Amino acid sequence: MKKVLILSSSPRRGGNSDTLCDDLLRGARDAGHEAEKIFLRDLRIGCCNGCGACSRHGSPCPQRDDAAAVIDKMVRADAIVLATPVYFYTMSAQLKTLIDRCCSRYTEMRDKEFCFLVTAAEEDRTKMLRTVDSMRGFLDCLDRPKERGTVFGLGVWHAGEIERHPARREAYELGRAL
């Protein structure tokens, strides 16, 4: 049994990428894993202010918000799912803000499995690869990450358009395969 942490960075609860998170969550639980979804919009996570407390002095981040608890769950997880809607060809601000705040503990994120869930109005998969590459940039900073898969829910914009999309089944199966 693995600990699977799903980070939903959609600004819309029940939006297209958040729906894929629910599908992957169901698949992971059906496979017997302990799985949790965190809806980042519900949390207060401030931007990194570059103070250097964590990188120069090894101190915890001085900001008192919800980031530390999420990052602690990331450190303890076996698999982490980064899910984002794509607006203007990059990851959501919610996800990027959390990733930037990982500075204090990213060296503790070793041997993690990662999955990416990406939804967009765009239908051209090659254009979505830059978003995935930006998430891979985070993995490049980690020790021995293992990428397990990416699900693209393309051609969906308004909430609910993912309903009959094949990406839903792909997300479920990716969760089962972890």
Side-chain angles (χ1 to χ4, degrees), residues 57-127:
H57 308 293
S59 301
C61 180
Q63 294 191 59
R64 299 294 171 240
D65 61 10
D66 297 317
V70 175
I71 294 166
D72 187 60
K73 288 180 181 198
M74 292 172 74
V75 168
R76 290 185 285 120
D78 299 305
I80 299 171
V81 178
L82 303 178
T84 186
V86 176
Y87 307 131
F88 300 104
Y89 300 96
T90 192
M91 74 178 88
S92 70
Q94 293 85 344
L95 184 56
K96 179 62 170 129
T97 299
L98 176 65
I99 288 171
D100 287 350
R101 289 292 298 284
C102 288
C103 189
S104 63
R105 298 190 65 193
Y106 77 94
T107 59
E108 298 175 61
M109 295 182 198
R110 298 179 197 90
D111 302 307
K112 305 286 182 202
E113 297 178 10
F114 283 87
C115 300
F116 305 125
L117 303 178
V118 177
T119 59
E122 175 66 59
E123 294 181 11
D124 185 345
R125 186 178 179 277
T126 59
K127 291 181 180 177

Side-chain angles (χ1 to χ4, degrees), residues 1-15:
M1 181 173 82
K2 294 179 184 173
K3 288 184 180 179
V4 178
L5 181 65
I6 302 165
L7 300 173
S8 176
S9 71
S10 176
R12 303 183 296 198
R13 184 176 302 285

